[in-house]
Amino acid sequence: MGAIASGLQQLSSTLSWLNAHLPKPPQLFTDRFADPHEVDPLVSQNWQHETGLLVGVSPFKKVLSVRPSKQRRELGNVLVDALTRGGKGLLAISQLCTWPHSAVVLDIKGELHEATAEYRKTLGPVFVIDPEAVGNQFDPLHGRFTERQLYAAAKYLLYEEGERDPIFIQRGMKMLTQLFVAARLENQAAGYEKYRLLPYAGQLMNLPINQVAAHLQAISPQLATKFLSGEYRPEKDYDEKRFLASSWETATSRLYPILSDELLRCFDGSDFTGAQIITATQPITVYLRLPESELLALAPVVRLIFQTLIHDMQTTYDKRPGRTAKEKGCSPVLLLLDEAGRVKIPLLYEYATTVVGRQISLWVAIQSISQLTATYGHANAETLLDNMDTQIFYRQRRATARYLEEELGKRSEYSHSQSRREGGYETQGMSEQGVPVMTANQIKQMKDWNILVFHHDLPAFRARRMNWMEHPVLRERQAMRPPALTPLPPLTPIELRSLQPSADVSFVDPDERYTRN
């Protein structure tokens, strides 16, 4: 059966090529779907194992995928647009069961972990970050020592584009940075990494501002001064300083969803880093497993983890010696972002323009083009779309259907006219006009298994969706089930210095590494 399909595929491509080279009359409107021979470079014979981004299936049941070539070594980014239960998950499972390199997955509801994690374990280590305090731990501030680096982390956590009154959150970022510096100073005094920075700061943010200020004063008066923007006085009630209290309240309120004991335990250790992911000799897979009901509340977690990992992977790639990825010892990485239209990942549109050159590919799933505009703004959504080299659309409704009709363009059609004159003479004529290659109504009526694809410099083409259930090798890989995750250890409690005799360690440079083991 495979030989027959291959023969038919080759025959179709040959006839398509011959037809394309036959002379044709000129037309005013030349938009069209791609011919079979133009799509041929996407046909993959070894898609189960090779480096590639799956697209769909040809009419002759040949898998289509984007693969590196001599002319174009980067795979680019993929946009997948489908309605709820439209087939995004079928493609995501297929992709994770065939991708041979490291991957980071935004996994809503945990379905992708359930379907693919055990197979991914056959390739290399698998880690899971879960707000139920099971699985593994990730320290987003690992390797960040300077106050400048710690301030950038505070910004990841607190800043949101389009702030109407940013002064409070800017002050809050400065206050949070001093908590991170305090943890670094305590670790230096201890001579080992006694505290992880985010859980340390998170526990302090659950306390009243007066108690936090006293704690910082006991560690270093300079810290307390920066935190309060003034000298610490134990007799003063800092809750009465309205601007200071409002800034503290703004910061703690924004981080409230991640200040629970369960979530802080996820950050109280470091099982992997971004640098390890992009340089691993064995693929590393990371699942950020989030309950759908808490998706918006946990948005700060998504922002922090993905911005940290992307920043660290890009920095690692840029700093390693060599010109090519192979010389640098870096491997391709897939960032698979399910529901990227519901959870705003700051600067995603900028990452789409920069990560590809570092062998990192974004796989972004949304439910509607208008969802991108609502989440990221019109200009940023346009930037994101412009840098998605492969765009896959399942059956659509309303705004996206109209968008696709416009993107597909117009082809020429001729209307016939006939007129009768005196004396019985008749005249006939044809008028050329442009009609949509595919109307919005036709797009709305597409079958569930059909897709429209835009790829690089090809005309748009139609294909069948990728469905792991139709491929025995993928059914076998998907059938493997991961074991239950183990609970994380208890949170490392803070020893409040404000309740102990003061020890002035203000001479310690927070930018220095630890010196004792």
Side-chain angles (χ1 to χ4, degrees), residues 64-81:
L64 307 174
S65 73
V66 180
R67 305 180 304 284
S69 65
K70 291 182 179 179
Q71 296 77 22
R72 207 161 178 275
R73 61 186 179 87
E74 295 91 359
L75 294 174
N77 302 315
V78 177
L79 178 77
V80 183
D81 189 335

Side-chain angles (χ1 to χ4, degrees), residues 397-448:
R397 305 291 298 175
R398 298 175 62 82
T400 305
R402 294 191 296 271
Y403 166 84
L404 289 174
E405 178 183 311
E406 182 179 350
E407 287 293 299
L408 289 168
K410 292 183 177 182
R411 58 184 175 84
S412 285
E413 269 200 5
Y414 298 88
S415 60
H416 296 265
S417 62
Q418 188 177 47
S419 60
R420 178 172 296 181
R421 298 184 177 181
E422 292 183 10
Y425 292 103
E426 291 185 355
T427 61
Q428 295 183 351
M430 289 193 304
S431 174
E432 186 176 6
Q433 57 185 346
V435 298
V437 170
M438 194 172 187
T439 67
N441 277 336
Q442 289 173 323
I443 293 167
K444 294 176 186 178
Q445 295 163 16
M446 285 170 52
K447 300 300 182 184
D448 286 342

